[in-house]
Amino acid sequence: MRIGILISFCSIVAWTQESTPPPDPITGMVGQLQLERYKATIKGLTQFGDRRQGTDRNRAAVDWIEAQLKSYGCTNTERVQYDYQPPATPTPPNPANQSQINGPGGSRRRGVRTPDRVNNDPLLQPDLKLRELNSQPSTPGLREEVYCTKVGRTHPEEMYIVAAHMDGIGWGEAANDDGSGTALVMELARIFSGPDVQTERSIRFALWNNEETGLSGARAYVAQRKDLQGKESPAGSGQYPEPKWLGMIQHDMMLFDHGMPRKDGTMSKEQRPEADVNIEYQMTAKLAEDAMHLARRFQLANEKYATDYPANVGPHMTNTDSTPFMDLTPAISLRENERGAQLGNGWDPHHHQPTDVYATFNDDDFRLGLNAAQTTLAAVAELAGCIRGEITTVK
Ligand SMILES: [Zn+2]
C-alpha cells in the first residue's frame, strides 16, 4: 500500500492512496472544532456574569479573554482604548420597532410577534449569586477591548476581521448574547494559531466591548484605525499594524433557533430541526454587492463543511458591530436568526433577559453555534488562503 503524506500548513494528514486526490486540509481544521470545547469556552465567559461594560466584571472578562488568546498561541494581543460617556438623555425608541409591518434594518415582519425588550430589573434574576455578581453598576470612562492577529505569510498587509462582542446586558450571564459569538471567535483563534497552520493573508480576531450601548467599541476601532490600513510601520519592517480590511465578519447570538412564537406567545422548548445559521449583509451599504458575494461564499462553505445545520443569506444586517464597517469593507453578520424580521419579532425569548444563562441551552442549541463556527472557519480558511506544502509519496 502506498501512503501519501500531505505536508500542509493547515493540517498534516496521511492517507492511503492509489489514485485518490489528497485530502482537503480545511476538513482537518474544521474537525478540530469540538462541541465540548466550544461549550467550555462559553461556560468560562459566564463566570463574569453579564459582563456589562464599565464594570469590574467586564474588565476581568477582557483580561481572561486576552490570557486565553495568548494560551492558544495568538500571542500578539493588543487593546483598543476609548472613552465611553453614556448619552445625557436616553436615545428615543427606534420607530422601526413601533411599526407592525417594517422591522429593524429594513426587514419585513411576518406572522406572530412577541415583545423583544431589555430587562433592567435585577429582581427578575432568581439566582441570588448571579444577581450579586451583576450588581456593580457601569461607570463612564476608559474602556478597553482586545484583539489578536494571525499574520499572513505572503500578504501580511491584508486581513479579514473575525469578531464578536464580549459585553452583555439583561441580568443574566450573556451566555448566548454574546458568549456564544465570543467563544466562536476564540475557538477560531485557537485553531488558526496552531503550529501547523499558515495562511497567505492575515486574520484578526476581535472581541468588541460596548456593543450593547450602540456598537461603541466597534465604532471606536473604526474611527481610530481605518486610516492606518495597509501602512507598513516602521517603514521597511514588513509589519502592518492595521492590514487592509478585506472583510468583516461579526458573530452575535449563535445558539437559539426554536422558530416563531406560537399564537399564545409560548415557544418550542427544543431547537427546531430546520434551524439554520443566518448570514446577513445590509443592502443599503456602500459595499452591499461585495458583502452579498461574501455572504454567499460563507453559505457555500457551510454547505461543504458544516455538519448539521444549513445557512441562509438575507439582506437586512442590523444592530451589530459589522454596521460601522459596512461602507468601508464588505461586512456580514452570522446569527441564530435574522436580526430584523425574526429576533425583532421576539423569536428569542432569552434576548437581554435574566434567562440568558448557560443552563438555559442544551446540546442541540450549542451545536447551532458550532455549525456557525465550522462555517466561518472554513470560509475564512478559503478566503485567507491556507497554504499547502509539498505532497510526497511514501512507498
Ligand atoms: Zn449581541
Side-chain angles (χ1 to χ4, degrees):
M1 184 191 289
R2 298 163 75 206
I3 307 289
I5 298 175
L6 171 66
I7 311 296
S8 158
F9 288 113
C10 297
S11 60
I12 297 175
V13 278
W15 79 103
T16 60
Q17 58 122 41
E18 282 300 329
S19 58
T20 47
D24 175 358
I26 295 176
T27 304
M29 291 177 74
V30 171
Q32 291 179 48
L33 281 166
Q34 300 293 334
L35 186 66
E36 291 307 317
R37 266 208 82 119
Y38 178 56
K39 287 165 61 180
T41 308
I42 297 174
K43 182 84 182 139
L45 288 158
T46 63
Q47 70 185 291
F48 306 101
D50 66 4
R51 305 184 297 283
R52 185 184 289 259
Q53 55 80 31
T55 63
D56 290 342
R57 60 191 183 280
N58 174 277
R59 286 182 280 273
V62 175
D63 291 344
W64 184 81
I65 291 167
E66 180 168 26
Q68 295 296 115
L69 292 173
K70 284 181 187 289
S71 77
Y72 302 156
C74 208
T75 52
N76 58 357
T77 57
E78 297 195 55
R79 293 191 182 201
V80 178
Q81 297 190 327
Y82 57 96
D83 181 70
Y84 176 70
Q85 300 292 332
T89 49
T91 25
N94 182 348
N97 294 339
Q98 314 310 313
S99 165
Q100 293 302 319
I101 299 165
N102 300 311
S107 61
R108 173 72 198 272
R109 297 186 190 279
R110 310 273 184 188
V112 178
R113 181 180 176 192
T114 58
D116 176 35
R117 298 196 192 100
V118 177
N119 172 53
N120 291 309
D121 182 357
L123 299 179
L124 293 182
Q125 176 49 259
D127 178 338
L128 296 182
K129 264 178 76 177
L130 181 55
R131 196 191 293 173
E132 170 66 23
L133 178 61
N134 285 337
S135 61
Q136 187 193 42
S138 172
T139 45
L142 177 71
R143 300 284 184 271
E144 293 192 331
E145 58 195 4
V146 66
Y147 62 81
C148 71
T149 309
K150 170 81 182 176
V151 178
R153 207 168 71 130
T154 54
H155 288 284
E157 78 283 6
E158 298 177 345
M159 73 170 170
Y160 289 90
I161 303 174
V162 175
H165 72 89
M166 50 70 63
D167 67 310
I169 50 173
W171 291 86
E173 291 175 337
N176 187 27
D177 186 10
D178 188 21
S180 64
T182 299
L184 183 160
V185 172
M186 292 171 68
E187 286 297 286
L188 263 56
R190 177 176 67 82
I191 292 168
F192 275 106
S193 299
D196 58 344
V197 177
Q198 294 266 10
T199 56
E200 292 174 1
R201 292 176 176 76
S202 299
I203 308 167
R204 177 157 292 173
F205 303 95
L207 290 318
W208 314 121
N209 206 341
N210 275 86
E211 191 271 353
E212 301 291 5
T213 55
L215 324 179
S216 321
R219 290 187 202 284
Y221 179 96
V222 170
Q224 291 181 24
R225 307 195 63 86
K226 66 177 173 11
D227 296 331
L228 305 176
Q229 286 183 70
K231 291 185 179 158
E232 190 183 37
S233 176
S237 66
Q239 291 177 18
Y240 297 85
E242 192 65 25
K244 179 179 159 47
W245 305 343
L246 300 179
M248 155 62 179
I249 303 109
Q250 174 75 1
H251 304 80
D252 194 354
M253 305 172 70
M254 314 312 299
L255 303 182
F256 188 93
D257 186 1
H258 293 208
M260 186 184 284
R262 302 186 189 105
K263 282 183 180 165
D264 65 2
T266 61
M267 294 285 303
S268 167
K269 293 261 182 280
E270 299 301 325
Q271 190 82 290
R272 57 177 180 152
E274 38 312 280
D276 60 0
V277 177
N278 289 91
I279 305 168
E280 297 184 279
Y281 66 98
Q282 177 49 257
M283 59 187 283
T284 63
K286 274 193 190 140
L287 298 173
E289 286 290 312
D290 293 333
M292 180 182 72
H293 284 288
L294 183 65
R296 290 288 175 208
R297 290 288 297 264
F298 273 64
Q299 187 182 29
L300 293 172
N302 167 278
E303 211 160 82
K304 192 167 173 189
Y305 293 101
T307 48
D308 308 279
Y309 296 108
N312 283 300
V313 174
H316 302 303
M317 178 184 83
T318 187
N319 291 67
T320 197
D321 289 315
S322 36
T323 301
F325 290 86
M326 71 183 187
D327 291 336
L328 302 167
T329 190
I332 60 174
S333 80
L334 278 71
R335 282 192 196 264
E336 62 195 16
N337 283 311
E338 291 180 9
R339 176 62 184 84
Q342 299 177 345
L343 286 174
N345 260 20
W347 283 36
D348 187 338
H350 310 296
H351 188 207
H352 299 152
Q353 296 300 311
T355 51
D356 186 359
V357 295
Y358 183 84
T360 291
F361 305 98
N362 67 27
D363 278 3
D364 289 338
D365 299 319
F366 290 118
R367 200 172 291 110
L368 182 62
L370 190 78
N371 275 248
Q374 293 166 337
T375 302
T376 294
L377 191 156
V380 171
E382 286 179 351
L383 289 163
C386 266
I387 302 168
R388 285 188 183 198
E390 301 286 307
I391 295 173
T392 59
T393 300
V394 183
K395 297 224 174 179

